Structures are given as structure tokens and as C-alpha cells.
């Protein structure tokens, strides 16, 4: 099956009221775990590669891994998405390598550390959207800066993250500005900031509305009911995986992620794409540690990889089921990129912002 675009997949999700997890991949094992889970419950898939993933595996290798997955699982629509593109070159080279969707993250400058101005963000995102739509590919933009409302900063361990102190007005997307941004950039999906951050150390306690501002999603959805919203930093950092890691020599301090029920609440208010990387990393690492501790004589990497993939597969499947993604793969007929390009050119996929304002 040809790869699906993000736009087509999220339009389907919106029509039927479900959300789609977007899992980061860097290698074959992660790809296999995700597709096995998807095939078991008939879920369409978003695979996303960060700039780090592209340099780790190489563009050619990533493309062929994903191509192999489409051949192995022809019944599953797969979207290949660039995670946190930092400039036009990253986004366009991704499309050249077969990605059907890109995130142009203009909330930060190209160094991915400096908070960008609104004008800069609109400008660069609009340029990428124009170019991507000419060839039918989709674009996710970001408005607002990811960061912890508790600490007033982004998670430093991550490859991309704002440097220095952030105030709440930067870390909470402004709903009025969101309307303007979608209209000005014509993005297909909008990532918003409301207190989540990348990595495992999101919250020092189980989050409430003070530190995980789900109300921001509800406010933006009320103003932009037709816009597909994206939650970044949405790993749940399950206690069981923290315990698995720490029972086998790990030293992760107690931490809290985004509860799955909060994501489900988001999905009821327009969230269609949910970014998850950390949970999958923890699933793999937990099993690597377990095998290493329990079988210290073991030296066959497959003996590490197989239980690790199973742990990840179980996590991925749970998210497909809880987000309502399960059962939808077989309901989708993929629209080729060239057809999507024609639809953009005709104006049929323009953002329905005016309607939102009138409502
Ligand atoms: O947002 C993400 C990738 O863009 C991943 O978030 P996590 O670190 O919470 O998994
Ligand atoms: O936000 C990004 C993802 O968690 C990917 O992280 P990475 O840049 O270390 O691959
Ligand atoms: Zn991250
Ligand atoms: Zn992210």
C-alpha cells in the first residue's frame, strides 16, 4: 500500500472521533513492534522520525525500513512524518526521501533552542506549507513552546527544547493567535503547548489542571473545531515501566507523565495526533535491563530484542485501543500524493477557519 498523508488520516480520525498515536522510530525493531500491534487491532499508523533518527539510521535506511513495513503489512495505512523539522531544508529533504508529512516547528528558531517570534513562525511555516502542498504532502505547525509549567523550562535532555526560562504565556498556546496562525499558514495540523514536555521528567506529581492545562485544548477546539490538534510530549511514563527499569539496575527518579485518560479527554476535544517516544524507549530499555540482569551470560542481541519488542508492542497496542485507532485501518482507502496535491490546489483542503469564527 502507498503511504498515507497525515492530512487524509487525521481527516478520517476527525470524522470518526478517534486519535492516532504518532510513534517515533529509529530502527527496524521499533517499526516491527508498532506494525505488529497495528495489524493485531486493525489500526492505521503514524511513524515519525526526528532529525536525530534520520542521522542515526540514515535517510535511505529509514525509507527502506518503512517501505519494507508497507510490503509486510499491506493492509495497514502508514504515514511517515518528520518530527520537529527545524527549517525548510529538513522538511523538503524529508519529502524527497518519501515522507508524506512534515512538522515545521517554527516555535523555535532553526537551532531548536531559541524561542522564535510569532512573525518568524508564521513566515517559515507558510513557506513550508506552500511547498509541501504543491506535492500533496501534509504539514504540522506548532504554536506555543513546549515546557514544564512547574519548572518554567523545557526538558534539557531532549534534542530540541527551548533554552532558558519560559513564562506561562509562552508555554500556553493563545487561542486567538491559534485562529490567526491556522488561517495564515494553512497547516493541516496544529501542535499546541499546554504544559507537556519531552522526555520522562514531565511532572513531579500526578498532573492536575495547574500543570497540565487541558483547558487550553478545549478553548482552541471551540474556536477551531475543524483543525486537527496535536499533543507533543504525551508519553504516560507508566509506573510499571519505571519499576521494571529500576528493579533491574536503573536509577530513574520517580516521575509522572500524561495520564492516558487526559489524552482521551483531549481526543474528545479535537486532538487527533498524540506524540509518543519516551514510553516506547522505556519499554525497550526495561527489557534490555531485565535480560542483562537475569541472564548475565547472554550475548545474543536477539535475546534482548525479542522481549523488548514484545513489551513495546503491548504498549503500542494499548494506545491504539484506548485512543480509538483500532478497527480503522480497513476503513481507509489511501489517496495518492498527486491527488492530494490537486485537492490542495483546488482549495478543497483550505482551513475552515471562517466558519469557526462565525460559529
Ligand atoms: O513529542 C514527542 C515527539 O515529538 C515525544 O514525546 P515524549 O517524550 O513524551 O514521548
Ligand atoms: O521530540 C522528539 C522525540 O522524542 C525524538 O527525540 P530524538 O530527537 O532524541 O530522536
Ligand atoms: Zn523527545
Ligand atoms: Zn515533540
Amino acid at each position: 500500500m502507498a503511504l498515507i498523508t497525515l492530512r487524509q488520516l487525521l481527516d478520517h480520525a476527525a470524522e470518526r472521533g478517534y486519535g492516532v498515536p504518532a510513534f517515533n522510530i529509529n530502527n527496524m525493531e521499533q517499526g516491527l513492534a508498532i506494525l505488529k500491534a497495528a495489524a493485531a487491532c486493525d489500526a492505521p499508523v503514524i511513524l515519525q522520525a526526528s532529525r536525530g533518527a534520520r542521522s542515526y539510521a540514515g535517510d535511505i535506511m529509514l525509507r527502506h525500513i518503512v517501505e519494507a513495513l508497507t510490503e509486510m503489512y499491506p493492509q495497514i495505512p502508514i504515514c511517515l512524518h518528520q518530527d520537529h523539522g527545524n527549517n525548510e531544508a529538513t522538511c523538503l529533504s524529508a519529502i524527497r526521501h518519501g515522507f508524506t508529512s512534515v512538522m515545521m516547528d517554527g516555535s523555535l528558531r532553526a537551532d531548536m533552542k531559541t524561542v522564535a517570534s510569532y512573525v518568524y513562525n508564521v513566515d517559515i511555516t507558510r513557506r513550508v506549507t506552500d511547498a509541501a502542498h504543491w506535492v500533496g504532502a501534509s504539514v504540522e505547525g506548532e504554536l506555543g513552546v513546549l515546557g514544564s509549567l512547574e519548572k518554567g523550562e523545557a526538558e534539557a535532555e531532549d534534542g530540541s527544547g527551548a533554552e532558558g526560562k519560559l513564562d506561562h504565556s509562552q508555554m500556553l498556546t493563545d487561542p486567538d493567535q491559534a485562529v490567526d496562525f491556522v488561517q495564515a499558514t494553512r497547516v493541516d495540523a496544529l501542535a499546541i503547548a499546554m504544559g507537556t514536555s519531552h522526555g520522562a521528567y514531565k511532572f513531579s506529581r500526578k498532573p492536575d489542571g495547574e500543570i497540565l492545562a487541558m483547558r487550553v485544548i478545549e478553548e482552541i477546539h471551540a474556536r477551531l473545531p475543524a483543525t486537527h490538534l496535536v499533543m507533543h510530549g504525551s508519553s504516560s511514563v507508566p509506573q510499571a515501566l519505571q519499576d521494571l527499569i529500576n528493579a533491574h539496575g536503573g536509577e530513574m527518579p520517580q516521575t509522572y507523565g500524561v495520564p492516558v485518560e487526559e489524552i482521551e479527554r483531549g481526543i474528545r476535544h479535537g486532538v487527533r495526533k498524540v506524540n509518543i517516544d519516551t514510553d516506547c524507549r522505556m519499554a525497550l530499555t526495561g527489557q534490555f535491563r531485565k535480560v542483562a540482569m537475569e541472564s548475565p551470560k547472554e550475548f545474543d542481541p536477539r535475546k534482548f530484542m525479542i522481549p523488548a519488542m514484545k513489551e513495546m508492542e503491548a504498549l503500542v497496542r494499548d494506545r491504539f485501543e484506548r485512543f480509538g485507532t483500532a478497527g480503522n485501518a480497513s476503513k481507509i482507502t489511501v489517496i495518492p500524493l498527486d491527488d492530494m496535491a490537486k485537492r490542495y490546489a483546488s482549495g478543497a483542503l483550505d482551513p475552515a477557519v471562517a466558519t469557526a469564527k462565525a460559529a
Side-chain angles (χ1 to χ4, degrees):
M1 186 187 268
L3 293 176
I4 190 170
T5 62
L6 186 72
R7 176 60 185 269
Q8 189 199 347
L9 178 49
L10 299 191
D11 281 350
H12 190 263
E15 256 165 52
R16 303 182 62 92
Y18 65 92
V20 188
F23 297 111
N24 287 73
I25 68 159
N26 296 271
N27 60 28
M28 173 189 89
E29 284 78 8
Q30 290 171 309
L32 286 173
I34 295 162
L35 266 294
K36 263 193 188 171
C41 65
D42 188 35
V45 167
I46 301 170
L47 301 176
Q48 58 185 8
S50 65
R51 286 192 298 145
R54 287 177 62 187
S55 62
Y56 173 78
D59 288 335
I60 297 171
M61 181 60 75
L62 273 177
R63 169 157 50 90
H64 284 282
I65 289 173
V66 174
E67 210 174 290
L69 293 169
T70 63
E71 211 175 310
M72 291 169 74
Y73 296 95
Q75 76 280 26
I76 303 295
I78 301 175
C79 168
L80 178 57
H81 174 82
Q82 167 76 54
D83 191 24
H84 292 283
N86 63 323
N87 60 22
E88 300 93 325
T90 297
C91 293
L92 293 191
S93 64
I95 294 170
R96 184 182 113 57
H97 282 285
F99 288 56
T100 51
S101 177
V102 296
M103 175 189 194
M104 177 58 236
D105 182 355
S107 72
L108 300 172
R109 306 281 302 205
D111 66 3
M112 287 280 115
K113 290 177 173 31
T114 311
V115 175
S117 71
Y118 180 69
V119 172
Y120 170 92
N121 191 358
V122 168
D123 219 54
I124 194 163
T125 305
R126 174 66 198 242
R127 278 203 297 281
V128 169
T129 306
D130 278 344
H133 289 178
W134 289 331
V135 294
S138 319
V139 178
E140 170 186 339
E142 169 150 341
L143 184 63
V145 182
L146 293 190
S148 155
L149 297 169
E150 277 183 287
K151 290 183 279 187
E153 52 194 42
E155 191 50 61
E157 62 149 43
D158 208 79
S160 67
E163 253 173 20
K165 282 284 166 194
L166 298 166
D167 64 45
H168 281 206
S169 73
Q170 293 172 300
M171 289 184 291
L172 297 172
T173 304
D174 176 64
D176 293 326
Q177 204 172 51
V179 175
D180 186 69
F181 185 81
V182 168
Q183 199 157 31
T185 61
R186 300 161 174 268
V187 288
D188 300 286
L190 178 67
I192 60 168
M194 65 332 178
T196 65
S197 50
H198 291 137
Y201 304 103
K202 301 180 194 305
F203 305 110
S204 68
R205 57 184 162 92
K206 188 173 188 294
D208 54 22
E210 284 294 300
I211 55 178
L212 175 60
M214 297 300 293
R215 64 179 182 280
V216 171
I217 290 176
E218 298 176 3
E219 285 167 22
I220 295 174
H221 181 57
R223 294 224 204 359
L224 286 170
T227 297
H228 306 314
L229 303 180
V230 182
M231 283 175 70
H232 279 251
S234 291
S235 277
S236 301
V237 198
Q239 189 64 47
L241 292 179
Q242 294 182 51
D243 294 344
L244 179 68
I245 288 171
N246 288 339
H248 298 95
E251 291 185 2
M252 289 187 71
Q254 178 62 47
T255 179
Y256 297 85
V258 182
V260 176
E261 57 273 17
E262 296 295 339
I263 299 171
E264 291 170 320
R265 175 176 163 196
I267 292 169
R268 289 194 293 275
H269 295 278
V271 170
R272 298 293 161 231
K273 175 171 180 280
V274 182
N275 284 15
I276 298 174
D277 185 3
T278 297
D279 284 353
C280 296
R281 294 175 167 184
M282 288 176 68
L284 298 174
T285 297
Q287 287 297 333
F288 293 160
R289 285 194 167 278
K290 184 165 189 278
V291 175
M293 289 269 290
E294 289 178 356
S295 314
K297 294 202 182 73
E298 187 54 68
F299 59 85
D300 178 349
R302 291 171 300 185
K303 297 283 171 27
F304 292 76
M305 295 296 191
I306 291 167
M309 284 192 279
K310 283 205 176 109
E311 187 77 45
M312 179 169 157
E313 185 188 330
L315 179 124
V316 166
R317 178 155 182 189
D318 177 79
R319 298 304 181 270
F320 282 138
E321 277 163 2
R322 295 203 46 190
F323 298 171
T325 334
N328 282 293
S330 53
K331 301 195 172 80
I332 298 171
T333 308
V334 172
I335 302 169
L337 279 172
D338 287 340
D339 281 16
M340 289 299 289
K342 283 187 197 133
R343 292 181 195 208
Y344 284 116
S346 75
L349 299 176
D350 282 353
V353 171
T355 338
K357 268 187 172 165

